Amino acid sequence: GNHMYGVSEIIASPVPVTTQPQAISVRDADRWNTVFNTGRESSSGVKVNHKNVVGYPAFWRGVNLIANGVAGLPLDVFQRDGDDRTIARTHPAQKLLRRMASPIQRARKFRKTLQGHALIFGNGFATIERDARMQPIAMWILDPQQMVVRYVDGELWYCTTINGKQVKIPGRDMFHITGLSHDGICGYSALDTFNEALGLGIAAQRFGSRFFGQGANMGGLLMVPGHFSEDKIRNTMSAWSEMSEGLQNSHKVALLQDGAKFIPTSIDPDKGQFNETRDFEVRAVVANILGVPPHLLGDATRTSHNSLETEEQSFLTHSLSPWLNEWEGESELKLLSEPEQENDTHFIEFNREAAVQMEFEKKVNGIAKQIEIGVLTVNDARKLVNLPAVGEDGDKRYHPANWTEVGAEPVTEPVTDTTI
């Protein structure tokens, strides 16, 4: 357990410990980019790193939607009791997942942060601290950019540097959330995999800021007569800049004297399809990278009010559920004891019903219909909404009394008129 490595003490250490600098090859561009936090430059000329990508509004929104979704749903440890289930409130993992992941971090903040790391860097890492009985007592988030994973002698080892100290942690004590992966161990980083696509979107955003910051005035050539002295050229340039730059000057008319002319050279945003580019970046790039419907990222071009409910359900099914499954699987593997896993006495599960309140009436009507025709018992229905069974009476099945088999309808005698 991590009590052997003292990881929590290292993380909580108030004074970082300095270490000797490691030599980096001049050809190792990725290492230098990590050191200087510059990121890799895309074809658009923008260096994509974690700081500027979260400043890209559509990407920020998408990451927050999924991270908040994972953090907001109740996540509980359940104990099986025959066909019934009850929340194992005294289980050590229950506290970590529902209340406090560590003495300094709430469980929901822990889940949101780790999920954000997984979305941006492809991996979310947290070391599991255990007590003398090997039960989990805390989880500490680690920097995904500082982690190296190695497979040695049949076991995964996670190597990182915490406050200047090198730490090696076995896989059984590392809580690791990952997305799509090449080797099934570490996930693809969105920053590296989609460097070009994200760079274009960030470049379009920066161009818009510069364009409107200059009062929507294009760059160009300021041509002055050849008889101008250097001082007059400098004064003309200064007057032009003062007149043309700044949002407050966007509707003023500049006056050029003594034959000076301005020839614009920049591409008009309309001709450069600036707005179309930004809409496309939201719709086809960020939405595809994160798996979030475009309308949730601010693009309403293809959404009608009639389809909003369907798209919300699609977000839960296609965007959120894969991550919920990842969290459930990793939680059971790392936070349940071996006997609990082998005997299948416990499991860890999100309450997905909490995310579909808008569908509640439709869902209840559907469940009620299945009870009426005998597909579900009352206890079956209660399990679907994470409620405990109600005893033997809840196991009875029903069917409509007026139903008969086709072709077996009772023969009715004709009514005889008995009146005199």
Side-chain angles (χ1 to χ4, degrees), residues 12-271:
S13 174
V15 181
V17 181
T18 59
T19 58
Q20 293 297 322
Q22 298 179 352
I24 303 177
S25 169
V26 293
R27 299 181 181 180
D28 194 344
D30 290 338
R31 284 289 303 281
W32 282 111
N33 286 338
T34 299
V35 170
F36 291 108
N37 196 29
T38 57
R40 185 159 53 90
E41 186 171 302
S42 64
S43 299
S44 62
V46 174
K47 292 184 182 296
V48 180
N49 56 44
H50 71 283
K51 288 189 175 181
N52 61 17
V53 80
V54 296
Y56 183 18
F59 195 80
W60 169 273
R61 175 64 174 160
V63 169
N64 268 276
L65 280 170
I66 296 178
N68 285 329
V70 170
L73 291 180
L75 178 59
D76 292 297
V77 181
F78 289 92
Q79 183 172 357
R80 299 186 192 277
D81 183 12
D83 293 334
D84 200 6
R85 57 167 69 178
T86 56
I87 295 178
R89 301 190 185 279
T90 60
H91 195 285
Q94 178 70 9
K95 174 186 175 182
L96 302 184
L97 297 174
R98 282 302 298 268
R99 295 190 296 277
M100 296 293 294
S102 72
I104 63 172
Q105 194 164 59
R106 300 193 313 273
R108 290 193 176 187
K109 183 67 69 65
F110 168 85
R111 278 192 267 153
K112 181 176 180 178
T113 304
L114 209 65
Q115 182 60 52
H117 285 178
L119 289 165
I120 297 173
F121 302 105
N123 301 277
F125 300 103
T127 180
I128 304 169
E129 184 180 0
R130 302 184 188 273
D131 60 18
R133 296 181 297 169
M134 300 305 293
Q135 292 186 337
I137 58 175
M139 291 192 287
W140 304 86
I141 294 176
L142 300 177
D143 186 350
Q145 300 179 100
Q146 300 293 326
M147 190 68 68
V148 176
V149 185
R150 293 289 182 264
Y151 186 75
V152 182
D153 297 332
E155 186 174 8
L156 282 176
W157 288 87
Y158 292 78
C159 308
T160 187
T161 301
I162 305 174
N163 282 349
K165 291 186 178 181
Q166 292 185 348
V167 180
K168 185 172 68 172
I169 304 168
R172 64 181 179 273
D173 290 329
M174 181 64 70
F175 194 90
H176 184 187
I177 297 297
T178 178
L180 187 64
S181 171
H182 171 69
D183 55 10
I185 298 173
C186 290
Y188 286 110
S189 167
L191 298 183
D192 295 333
T193 308
F194 302 104
N195 179 71
E196 295 294 332
L198 291 171
L200 179 58
I202 297 171
Q205 174 185 315
R206 290 183 177 178
F207 170 77
S209 298
R210 287 195 300 269
F211 181 77
F212 290 106
Q214 293 175 358
N217 289 301
M218 296 175 290
L221 301 175
L222 191 61
M223 301 187 66
V224 297
H227 63 270
F228 273 20
S229 64
E230 287 189 15
D231 287 342
K232 187 160 188 176
I233 292 175
R234 191 176 297 110
N235 292 337
T236 301
M237 292 284 292
S238 177
W240 172 257
S241 297
E242 183 179 347
M243 183 66 227
S244 63
E245 293 183 1
L247 188 61
Q248 68 275 14
N249 298 323
S250 58
H251 298 291
K252 294 182 180 179
V253 177
L255 179 63
L256 292 174
Q257 300 176 341
D258 299 329
K261 297 179 180 180
F262 176 72
I263 302 177
T265 58
S266 297
I267 300 175
D268 189 300
D270 290 336
K271 295 178 181 178

